[in-house]
Amino acid sequence: MDAQEQQLTDQEILDAIKTGKKMLFFTAGWCPDCAFIKPVMPEIEAEYDQYDWITVDRDANIKIAQKFGVMGIPSFIALDNGEELSRFVNGDRKTRQEVEAFVDSIGK
């Protein structure tokens, strides 16, 4: 699923995370730290294709952000069949290397 291109509803996100390995990428259009990482996200998503990457707009999907306790963006949460595996959640700017190190730390 190339969620970079489409805006999902809360229900679509909840349905999508029920099965399989998913990586939620919490972002917002106004967020400068999100804009910093977005250009390399397609490359990161291609490299770590064991996950279906789902972009979650923190403002449009505020209930999802609240459900997962995401206050700072950009943030990432790895799920397997709806169960949280790991999270990289804070309000700091994230580099490609940091995101890759986070995904590597989960294990393949």
Side-chain angles (χ1 to χ4, degrees):
M1 171 185 311
D2 186 5
Q4 294 288 346
E5 313 263 332
Q6 63 190 55
Q7 176 63 51
L8 300 176
T9 67
D10 289 351
Q11 192 58 53
E12 287 171 329
I13 294 168
L14 291 172
D15 289 344
I17 65 174
K18 288 179 184 174
T19 58
K21 292 181 123 184
K22 312 296 185 205
M23 183 69 71
L24 302 181
F25 167 43
F26 289 85
T27 185
W30 53 263
C31 168
D33 292 338
C34 301
F36 177 80
I37 194 67
K38 273 188 180 177
V40 297
M41 286 307 299
E43 295 169 29
I44 294 171
E45 292 174 18
E47 182 178 347
Y48 295 97
D49 61 357
Q50 70 269 34
Y51 292 96
D52 289 330
W53 291 75
I54 300 173
T55 299
V56 181
D57 184 295
R58 207 274 337 228
D59 295 334
N61 305 110
I62 192 71
K63 289 182 180 171
I64 301 296
Q66 290 171 338
K67 172 182 172 51
F68 286 99
V70 173
M71 305 293 270
I73 52 174
S75 286
F76 299 85
I77 297 179
L79 303 163
D80 189 4
N81 295 323
E83 296 294 317
E84 184 173 324
L85 297 174
S86 190
R87 60 176 46 217
F88 186 17
V89 175
N90 59 46
D92 297 334
R93 175 174 284 186
K94 291 160 183 69
T95 65
R96 176 182 184 150
Q97 293 77 19
E98 289 171 325
V99 174
E100 290 173 342
F102 160 67
V103 181
D104 287 338
S105 75
I106 302 165
K108 292 191 178 186

